[in-house]
Amino acid sequence: LAAVGANTFVINLLINLFIGISVGVNVVVANSIGEHNYRSVTRSVHTSVMVSFFSGILLSFVGIFFAKPILSLISTPADILDMAVRYLQIYFVGMPFVMIYNFIAAILRGKGDTKRPLYVLIAAGAVNVILNLILVAGFDLGVSGVAIATVFANIISSITLFYFLLHEEGPFKLQFWKLRVTPLFFGRIMRVGLPAGLQGVVFSFSNVCLQSAINSLGSLTIAASAAALNYEFVVYYWLNSFSHACVSFVGQNYGAKNLDRCRRAVRWTLLLGCSSTFALGAICSLFAKPLLTAFSSNPEILELGAIRIYVVVGLQFINVFLDVLSGALRGMGKSLAPALTCMAGVCGVRIAWVIFVFPKYNSFASLMVVYPVSWIVTIAVIAGVYIHTIRRQM
C-alpha cells in the first residue's frame, strides 16, 4: 500500500503535462463544432491521435529509466523504495495506451459524448479488479501484480476507444491515411492545452513536495495517506467531471458566439457540482474509518487516514469553484490566465507551507490543512479573472 501510494503524485507529475494538452483537444473540437467547421474537427482528431502516441512513447522512456532517481529524490523510505520503483517502471510500460485513451476521450467529450468513455472505463476497471485478485491474491505478485493489472486495463480501454473512432461517421471518423500532425491545429491545441498542462505539472510538483513531507513522517503515514487518497480521488474526479462538462458546453457555445448560454453553463455546473460534492464528501467523512478498513486494520493508519478524509475530502466542495471557473475560461480559449493563477495560488501556497509551516508544526494534520487554504486563496483570484473576462466579452 505504501509503495503504490508513494508513486501517486510522481505519476501525476510526469503525465499531467500531456493530460493538460488533451484539454486543448476538447476545446478545439468543441469550438469547431460550435462554428460548424467540420474540416477543423477532422484535422484536430487526426493530429490529436498522433500527439497522444508520441507523448506516450516519451513518457514510457522517462518513467522506465528515471524511476529510481525520482523516487529517491522525494525521500521515499528505503523499506519500500525497491517495490515503488518496480511498480512505477511496469506502470509506465503502458503509458502509450494511457495517452491514447485520454486524448480520444477528450475528442469524444468535445462533441458531448461522455457516455462511451465512461462505459469503457467501467469495463476496464472491472478487468483491473479481477486481475488484481488473480495476480496479487492468487499468484502473490505484490506491487508487480497491481502494476500489470493496471497496464492491461489501460490497453483494453485505449484499444476500445480507438475502435470507436475507426467506426465513427462524419468528421470524427479516424482514417489511417489521414494520421499526421497538422501544424495549424497542433498550434491551436497547444495554445489551450500547454498552459493547462504546465499548470498540472506545477500543481503536481507542489503535491510531490507535500508527498516528500509525508514521506518524512514514515511508512505508516504514507500508507494512511495512500488509503485516504483512494476516496479523495473518487470525490475529486466527481467534481472534476463538472469542470469537463463546463469546458465542452462553454467551448461549443463560445464557438457559436452565444455568451448567455456560456454563463448559464457555468452557473449550473457550479450549483450541481457544489451540492453533489458536498454530499459525497459528507458521506465519506461520516464513514471515514469504516471505509479505510478496506485497506488496513492498523489503528494508527485508520486515525491518520481519517484526518485526510475529514480535512481534504470533506471540504473538497470548495474546489468545485476553482475547477469549474478554470474550465469555463479554457472553454473560451483563455487558458493562460487560469494556469498562472493556479500556479501562483495553489502551488505557491503549498510549497511555501511545506517550507515555512510544516517544520514548525511537524504533523500530518498540519500538512492537510494546506489543501483548503490553497483552494480558498486561489478561488478569490480566479473568480475576479472570470468576471473580468466575461465583462470584456459583452
Side-chain angles (χ1 to χ4, degrees), residues 235 238-239 242 267-283 314 316-321 324:
V235 178
W238 174 269
L239 76 86
F242 290 95
R267 288 198 297 269
W268 275 106
T269 46
L270 282 174
L271 175 63
L272 295 171
C274 274
S275 57
S276 59
T277 303
F278 176 82
L280 199 56
I283 291 169
Q316 194 74 239
F317 70 94
I318 299 171
N319 202 15
V320 174
F321 288 91
V324 167

Side-chain angles (χ1 to χ4, degrees), residues 54-102:
F54 288 119
S55 299
I57 295 296
L58 176 62
L59 282 170
S60 287
F61 175 82
V62 173
I64 291 169
F65 291 102
F66 295 95
K68 191 164 187 175
I70 292 170
L71 288 167
S72 298
L73 190 63
I74 63 167
S75 306
T76 303
D79 58 340
I80 62 170
L81 180 60
D82 289 341
M83 286 190 291
V85 169
R86 187 160 68 250
Y87 175 83
L88 191 64
Q89 289 176 329
I90 297 171
Y91 183 95
F92 270 82
V93 168
M95 197 48 59
F97 300 100
V98 174
M99 290 295 105
I100 289 170
Y101 172 84
N102 278 281

Side-chain angles (χ1 to χ4, degrees), residues 142-153:
V143 292
S144 297
V146 177
I148 292 167
T150 303
V151 169
F152 271 99

Side-chain angles (χ1 to χ4, degrees), residues 10-26:
V10 174
I11 291 169
N12 288 342
L13 175 65
L14 293 174
I15 71 174
N16 270 354
L17 174 63
F18 301 99
I19 298 297
I21 292 172
S22 75
V23 174
V25 173
N26 187 330

Side-chain angles (χ1 to χ4, degrees), residues 278-289:
F278 176 82
L280 199 56
I283 291 169
C284 288
S285 297
L286 188 62
F287 299 101
K289 289 184 181 178

Side-chain angles (χ1 to χ4, degrees), residues 13-56:
L13 175 65
L14 293 174
I15 71 174
N16 270 354
L17 174 63
F18 301 99
I19 298 297
I21 292 172
S22 75
V23 174
V25 173
N26 187 330
V27 173
V28 170
V29 169
N31 287 169
S32 298
I33 291 171
E35 295 165 355
H36 299 288
N37 188 342
Y38 299 113
R39 184 170 178 269
S40 292
V41 173
T42 298
R43 294 287 182 86
S44 300
V45 167
H46 290 85
T47 297
S48 301
V49 172
M50 289 298 290
V51 171
S52 71
F53 177 74
F54 288 119
S55 299

